[in-house]
Amino acid sequence: MRNIFLFIARFSNLFFFLLLQAVALTMLFRYNKFHEAAYMNVANEATGKVFLRYNGIQTYFSLKKENDKLREQNARLMNMLKVDFNAPDSSLQLITDTIRVDSIEQYRKFLFLPAKVIGNSVDAQNNYLTLHRGSNQGVDVNMAVVGPEGIIGKVINVSPNMSVVMSLLHRKNSVVALLKKGSGFGEVIWDGKDPRFVTLTKIPRTIKINKGDTVVTSPYSDIFPAGQVVGFVEEVAEEKSTSVYSLKVRTATNFYSVQHAYIVKNLQKSEMDSLLTKVKKD
Amino acid sequence: MSNLLKNIIRFAIFILFQVFVLDNIPPLHRFIVPYLYFLFILWLPFKISRGGLSLLGFLFGLTLDFFTKTPGLHAAACTLIAYIRPFVIGLLMPKEAYEISYAEPSITSMGLMPYSVYVLILTILHHAYLVFLEWLEFGDFFYFLGKVFATTGISLLLILITEILFVRKSRYRTNVA
C-alpha cells in the first residue's frame, strides 16, 4: 500500500499532466454535447462581450464595402417588388384590389431577423461566428443564417444576448442544395482546406454543368428558405467510380469580411415538426 | 514590476493579439496559420513548479479555446508543451547556470543556441500535437506534415520578430538580496 502512495507521489506531475490532457481531449471530442452545457453559454456571453468591443472599432474599416453590399442587396430586393412589374394594358378598366394589404401575412413562413456579426473565424477546421442577438431577441437553435450575399450557416447555441453560428466552413455542416438552372439535389460539405470553396456532392451526371452555375438552397429544407445562394461552380470533378459529380463551389459569402447577417426563423416549423413526429409514431 | 503582474499582463496581451490580430489575417496559403500565443508559456519564469506549469498551460489554452470555440484543442497542446518545458530546459542547460542568475528563459539567460533549440523543439511539439488533433478529424497525412512545417516556420518568424521588437531586460540577479 505504502509503495502505491510513494509511486503516485513520485509521478504526481505526470499524473496531473495526464489528467489535464484527458480533460482537454474529452472536451474536444465531445464538443457537441459540451456546447449545450451551461458553462459554454457563460463563456460565450463573456467572450461575446470582448468581441463586441473590438467589433465596435473594426466595423469602421469596412463601412464602405459593407454599404456597397447592402445597396446591391437593396437593389436586388427592390427589383422584386410588385410595383416594378407593369404589364402593358390589356384590359379596358382599372381594377381596384379590395384584398387587405397584409392578408398574406398569416401565410408567412420565413421571418428575417437582422443581426450583427461580432465574432468570426475562417482559419480553423471547424469555424464559428458569434452574432449579437440571442434568445431574448427571438433566436433559437437550428435557425438558418444568411448574409447579404448568400448563406452563412445555422445557429447551434444561444445565450440571452448572443448566439453562436456553425459556419458553412464546418466539418459537420451539411446543407441540401441544388443547381439553380435545373434539378439535381446534392449536399454541400467542406473539406476543411480552403475557406473560399466548399464541395457540392452527389450531383447526378445526367445534368450538364458549366463553370459559374449558381448553387442555391433546396425548397425542401425546413431551415433554409428556398433559393438562397450558396455559391458558384468553380470546377467540375467527375468521380470516375460513381455516377455522380463532385463540384468545387466558390461560396457566395465572403467569410473573411462578413459583418451583417439575417437569422431566418421558420414560423411553420413547429407545425411541420409535430406532423412529422406524428407520422413517425404511427 | 513584479513577476506576477508582468505575466498577468502578458497572458491578456498574448490572447488578445492572437484572437484579434493574427486570427484575422487573411490566409496566405491553406497550410499557414500564424500562431504566436504559446510564446507566453515559453516565457514563463523558471521558478514555477511543474504541476503549476501544466495547470497554467491548460488554463491559458482553454482561454484561447473559448474565443475560437474549440474547447480542449489549444488547451491540450499548451498543457503538453508546459509539461515538457522543464525537461527541455534541463537537457539544454546545467541547472546552476540559469536558475540562480535569471528569472525566465531568454537569449541572455540561456545563450543564443540553447534558447533557439528550446524554442524550436517546443514550437514543433505544439504545432505537431495541435495539427494532429485536427487531423484526427479530417485525415490527410500530407496535409498534416505540410501544415506542421509551414506553421512552425511562420511561428518561428513571428517569435524572431517579437524577440527583436520587445527586448526583455533580464536582470542579472546578484546574490541573495
Side-chain angles (χ1 to χ4, degrees), chain A residues 13-14 16-17 20-21 24 27-28 31 40 43-44 47 51 54 123 125 128 130 164 171 191-193 256, chain B residues 20 23-24 27 30 50-51 54 58 66-67 69 71-72 76 79-80 83 129 133-134 137-138 140 143 147:
Chain A
N13 281 320
L14 181 63
F16 187 55
F17 165 69
L20 290 178
Q21 282 289 318
M27 277 169 145
L28 182 62
Y31 180 57
M40 240 351 239
N44 281 344
T47 53
F51 276 129
Y54 181 76
D123 289 344
Q125 309 264 304
Y128 301 91
T130 312
V164 174
R171 195 172 57 92
D191 58 3
K193 286 174 186 166
Y256 294 116
Chain B
F20 291 117
D23 283 355
N24 280 327
R30 66 191 171 92
R50 281 168 52 194
S54 299
F58 179 74
F66 281 135
F67 280 98
K69 311 277 185 311
T79 318
L80 178 75
Y83 178 71
Y129 194 44
L133 287 177
E134 282 187 338
E137 296 186 283
F138 276 100
D140 180 350
Y143 177 68
K147 196 165 176 182

Side-chain angles (χ1 to χ4, degrees), chain A residues 3-17:
Chain A
N3 281 334
I4 295 174
F5 283 127
L6 275 179
F7 177 75
I8 292 175
R10 178 137 186 257
F11 291 101
S12 64
N13 281 320
L14 181 63
F15 285 129
F16 187 55
F17 165 69

Side-chain angles (χ1 to χ4, degrees), chain A residues 72-84:
Chain A
E72 216 168 81
Q73 191 195 19
N74 254 341
R76 206 163 62 229
L77 294 177
M78 276 152 103
N79 283 331
M80 289 183 204
L81 288 179
K82 225 175 184 174
V83 289
D84 292 340

Side-chain angles (χ1 to χ4, degrees), chain A residues 209-211 233-238 245-248:
Chain A
I209 292 159
N210 296 320
K211 203 183 150 188
V233 175
E234 180 82 9
E235 206 182 296
V236 183
E238 282 180 31
Y245 285 122
S246 144
L247 309 176
K248 193 176 177 189

Side-chain angles (χ1 to χ4, degrees), chain A residues 239-259:
Chain A
E239 286 178 23
K240 289 253 157 54
S241 55
T242 59
S243 61
V244 292
Y245 285 122
S246 144
L247 309 176
K248 193 176 177 189
V249 175
R250 177 183 289 276
T251 58
T253 303
N254 181 356
F255 282 92
Y256 294 116
S257 64
V258 56
Q259 296 244 336

